[in-house]
Amino acid sequence: MSKVCAICGKGQQSGNKVSHSNRKYRRSWGANVQKVKVVNPNGSTQSLYVCTRCLRTDGAVKRA
């Protein structure tokens, strides 16, 4: 299962790793997502993957 933020959709990014000798090869960076319990509007709780930027944003996520 890929780790993607359930709020904003942020996921994995890819690019080049560049060595000291300037050789380049592909690598990927994963988003900093945490598994948190979130309260839904109907009052039930759900476990979602949410990025840390959305956790810090006011009102984006209501934690259980």
Side-chain angles (χ1 to χ4, degrees), residues 2-62:
S2 63
K3 298 290 195 309
V4 176
C5 178
I7 307 299
C8 66
K10 183 187 289 187
Q12 180 173 302
Q13 284 189 327
S14 62
N16 286 324
K17 182 167 183 166
V18 182
S19 68
H20 179 68
S21 62
N22 207 24
R23 290 178 145 229
K24 298 167 185 74
Y25 57 93
R26 300 299 283 180
R27 63 153 292 181
S28 61
W29 289 265
N32 188 6
V33 292
Q34 310 292 322
K35 193 169 191 177
V36 296
K37 291 193 179 198
V38 177
V39 176
N40 290 332
N42 60 2
S44 63
T45 60
Q46 187 178 12
S47 189
L48 296 174
Y49 285 104
V50 180
C51 69
T52 53
R53 172 58 64 185
C54 290
L55 287 174
R56 287 167 46 189
T57 304
D58 288 333
V61 176
K62 184 171 182 190

